[in-house]
Amino acid sequence: MKQLDMFGLLKKDMQYIEEQLYASIEGDHEELGETSLHLLKAGGKRLRPVFVLLGGKFGQYDLNKLAHVAIPLELIHSASLVHDDVIDNAETRRGQLTVKSKWDNRVAMYTGDYLYAKALMMATKLKNPQIHQILSKAMVQMSIGEMEQIRDFFNTEQSVRNYLLRIRRKTALLIAISCQLGAIAADAEPRVCNLLYRYGYNVGMAFQIRDDLLDLRGTEKQLGKPPGSDMRQGNITLPVIYALQDPKMRGSVLAEISRIRSMKGEADVSQAVALVVSSPGIQKAEELADRYIAKALKALDLLPDQKVKKNLRDIAHFVTRRTY
Amino acid sequence: MKQLDMFGLLKKDMQYIEEQLYASIEGDHEELGETSLHLLKAGGKRLRPVFVLLGGKFGQYDLNKLAHVAIPLELIHSASLVHDDVIDNAETRRGQLTVKSKWDNRVAMYTGDYLYAKALMMATKLKNPQIHQILSKAMVQMSIGEMEQIRDFFNTEQSVRNYLLRIRRKTALLIAISCQLGAIAADAEPRVCNLLYRYGYNVGMAFQIRDDLLDLRGTEKQLGKPPGSDMRQGNITLPVIYALQDPKMRGSVLAEISRIRSMKGEADVSQAVALVVSSPGIQKAEELADRYIAKALKALDLLPDQKVKKNLRDIAHFVTRRTY
């Protein structure tokens, strides 16, 4: 799934989506077009559009209709990233300069506003109020998740439950509705749409847990940014919460976090990363991710037989092994 | 129109809207509820909801339906203000601390994201795709307008046309669709909806020109902020553009703007304000505002006879005279 390679089935359609994605932000405003294109070209796996198309295979697959859901979802995802970068003060993302660093924070804020609005505008071309409602509800939840995240920075008292709620809003929900909306746009049965939501939700949870693990264990080359950035900015992820729960490690992890906090984003985090990596938190987080994958596969089993079930299964397995 | 006094007709309904406005941001998230409430309580004239209700009088007036348009429009307006305050680095608005100053820039950004999403989510409860489309299109245009505004800061070469395009996106469009969507939500005839749009657009243009004039001529008490804030932040408004076009004044206005720019938001602008106030730019801007009001009244004449035409006429006249 480095880009779309594993989706021979979707290759042509994903190329169309990619072209339409670029086209969607052209012609409104020169500079917003540039900033948006910069953001979109930085890439990403286009996971949300892929899920939309796969969801669409469970109904009357109509690429043009599906594009009007797939592109908004990718735009919403991108808008949330560009606002995230302002908050995280991130200079690079996926190895590329961020909008806030190539331009500035104000430009990044308005680029996000533009993309959110553009996403909805595109979705409203499908005259299906249910789709509009699902999208805007998810955006509300995402903004709540963002707020929770900045409130939980450096909060060493947060629970696993806290963390799960946060990644649910931040990541899992948008992936869940990607699968669901693909099916809805293809007029699939409600039961199928709900199962796809459940599949996507669980894959999304596992995906974010993996992402947080990768930030601790990946190399700078794999990540496109230095490892340990979550710890540096105070984002307390699942392995860290587990490490804090371990009586033998708690003291030293707390000391590291407090030192990192005092350095205001400039800390060398290699020792802190090594500490967490040596803790039981890694394995516990991996196990939880695996449990979410198992739930995703169970939802998949209940779906009607379709060739794409294999693709969805492959993605779930990919998520459990991914290194980028 | 200090608040809703002039609308005896709407008083009870506007109280309902006010309650529902506060209720709309309750219960999702404690802190986002607080920041949003702070923003909404800072007040404002609720001009957009008033226009929605008045527009609704041209069809089957249903307060509950109209609320699902009126509240989103006020939320979108508020979201744009809270993002504006981040850009302008504004400490106060309408005499109250801004969200970015009471909390911080990050909180202000996410409060705006939350309110934009919440607005759309509420509007999607009306299962009318046309309404969703008009709202999201306007949000796209607004974000373009915001971007134009920061690009035009301290741009002394901008044309009147530039300025008019900017305020069209920044202000007039949202007022235009407030009138239009009220009528659409009440199932009024398309011709009526279009005329209300035209009325609202022209009133909105005049409203913003007046607002920009007030910033030069109002007192701190009237404005709730020190006069000349536009000049201080580099927002070149219509009277200033006209003053720059005057060969006798151009040199001294340019010198003042360049001095203000070098002070990075800390300049004493009283001399610059006095200079523009003494220029022919004030009267020319007033004349243009009056021309927009005349166009608004003309659109009003073409609307079917309804008691509310008097209210709409009163608002148009109020805009031409307002001092707050």
Side-chain angles (χ1 to χ4, degrees), chain A residues 28-29 31-32 35 80 82-87 103-107 109-111 113-122 124-129 132-134 136-137 139-141 143-144 146-148 150-151 153 169, chain B residues 28-29 31-32 35 80 82-87 103-107 109-111 113-122 124-129 132-134 136-137 139-141 143-144 146-148 150-151 153 169:
Chain A
D28 282 326
H29 185 260
E31 194 170 10
L32 283 170
T35 57
S80 81
V82 74
H83 279 187
D84 253 10
D85 289 338
V86 174
I87 298 299
W103 285 269
D104 63 31
N105 277 337
R106 306 180 306 174
V107 171
M109 188 171 77
Y110 285 141
T111 299
D113 288 2
Y114 167 72
L115 292 175
Y116 277 130
K118 196 74 196 177
L120 282 154
M121 187 183 141
M122 189 159 190
T124 58
K125 286 185 188 154
L126 293 183
K127 303 200 184 315
N128 183 335
H132 311 165
Q133 190 157 40
I134 291 172
S136 53
K137 268 193 179 173
M139 282 167 67
V140 169
Q141 290 301 317
S143 67
I144 296 173
E146 307 278 16
M147 190 75 165
E148 289 277 285
I150 61 177
R151 281 310 163 224
F153 278 156
R169 287 178 164 132
Chain B
D28 281 327
H29 185 261
E31 194 170 11
L32 283 169
T35 56
S80 81
V82 74
H83 279 187
D84 253 10
D85 288 338
V86 174
I87 299 299
W103 285 269
D104 63 31
N105 276 338
R106 304 179 308 172
V107 171
M109 187 170 79
Y110 285 141
T111 299
D113 288 1
Y114 168 71
L115 292 174
Y116 277 130
K118 197 74 196 178
L120 282 155
M121 187 184 142
M122 188 159 190
T124 58
K125 285 184 188 154
L126 294 183
K127 303 200 185 314
N128 183 334
H132 311 164
Q133 189 158 40
I134 290 172
S136 54
K137 266 192 182 174
M139 283 167 67
V140 170
Q141 289 301 316
S143 67
I144 297 173
E146 307 280 15
M147 190 76 166
E148 289 278 285
I150 61 176
R151 281 311 163 223
F153 278 156
R169 287 180 165 132

Side-chain angles (χ1 to χ4, degrees), chain A residues 61-277:
Chain A
Y61 188 93
D62 173 337
L63 182 57
N64 179 44
K65 259 195 181 178
L66 291 168
H68 282 81
V69 176
I71 291 166
L73 282 159
E74 190 69 16
L75 295 178
I76 289 171
H77 173 58
S78 301
S80 81
L81 295 184
V82 74
H83 279 187
D84 253 10
D85 289 338
V86 174
I87 298 299
D88 303 346
N89 213 2
E91 292 299 316
T92 59
R93 181 181 284 273
R94 299 173 190 138
Q96 306 269 351
L97 281 183
T98 55
V99 171
K100 68 133 261 154
S101 104
K102 193 168 174 187
W103 285 269
D104 63 31
N105 277 337
R106 306 180 306 174
V107 171
M109 188 171 77
Y110 285 141
T111 299
D113 288 2
Y114 167 72
L115 292 175
Y116 277 130
K118 196 74 196 177
L120 282 154
M121 187 183 141
M122 189 159 190
T124 58
K125 286 185 188 154
L126 293 183
K127 303 200 184 315
N128 183 335
Q130 191 196 2
I131 292 177
H132 311 165
Q133 190 157 40
I134 291 172
L135 273 178
S136 53
K137 268 193 179 173
M139 282 167 67
V140 169
Q141 290 301 317
M142 280 174 77
S143 67
I144 296 173
E146 307 278 16
M147 190 75 165
E148 289 277 285
Q149 176 158 329
I150 61 177
R151 281 310 163 224
D152 282 342
F153 278 156
F154 293 110
N155 172 9
T156 50
E157 300 306 312
Q158 64 187 285
S159 62
V160 170
R161 197 182 116 82
N162 243 353
Y163 165 86
L164 295 176
L165 259 172
R166 197 167 69 231
I167 67 166
R168 175 197 159 94
R169 287 178 164 132
K170 185 181 154 186
T171 308
L173 205 54
L174 203 64
I175 293 183
I177 69 166
S178 299
C179 300
Q180 179 196 24
L181 289 177
I184 291 179
D187 295 316
E189 278 176 46
R191 186 179 160 272
V192 168
C193 302
N194 293 341
L195 282 168
L196 280 164
Y197 177 98
R198 203 200 296 174
Y199 162 85
Y201 168 74
N202 286 296
V203 165
M205 293 296 283
F207 185 86
Q208 188 59 52
I209 295 173
R210 284 276 152 205
D211 210 54
D212 293 344
L213 277 161
L214 268 176
D215 188 62
L216 292 164
R217 298 199 304 178
T219 60
E220 177 150 4
K221 198 171 166 225
Q222 285 170 334
L223 300 172
K225 62 182 177 182
S229 357
D230 284 333
M231 290 201 85
R232 190 176 298 109
Q233 76 185 55
N235 184 12
I236 311 277
T237 59
L238 188 59
V240 181
I241 296 175
Y242 282 138
L244 282 165
Q245 287 175 351
D246 185 291
K248 278 180 299 195
M249 310 219 64
R250 183 171 171 84
S252 38
V253 177
L254 279 176
E256 274 298 309
I257 292 176
S258 150
R259 183 185 64 79
I260 292 168
R261 182 172 202 166
S262 70
M263 303 284 290
K264 293 181 189 297
E266 303 295 327
D268 176 351
V269 292
S270 49
Q271 213 179 326
V273 168
L275 195 64
V276 177
V277 167

Side-chain angles (χ1 to χ4, degrees), chain A residues 1 6-7 199 297 300 308-321:
Chain A
M1 209 174 61
M6 73 179 277
F7 298 105
Y199 162 85
L297 293 171
L300 208 52
V308 289
K309 278 177 76 165
K310 185 183 173 315
N311 297 95
L312 290 169
R313 197 167 289 119
D314 287 347
I315 297 183
H317 287 134
F318 163 78
V319 167
T320 60
R321 282 189 309 266

Side-chain angles (χ1 to χ4, degrees), chain B residues 71-102:
Chain B
I71 291 167
L73 283 160
E74 190 68 17
L75 294 178
I76 290 171
H77 173 59
S78 300
S80 81
L81 294 183
V82 74
H83 279 187
D84 253 10
D85 288 338
V86 174
I87 299 299
D88 303 347
N89 213 3
E91 292 300 315
T92 59
R93 179 181 286 273
R94 299 175 190 135
Q96 308 269 352
L97 281 183
T98 55
V99 172
K100 67 134 260 153
S101 103
K102 193 168 173 186

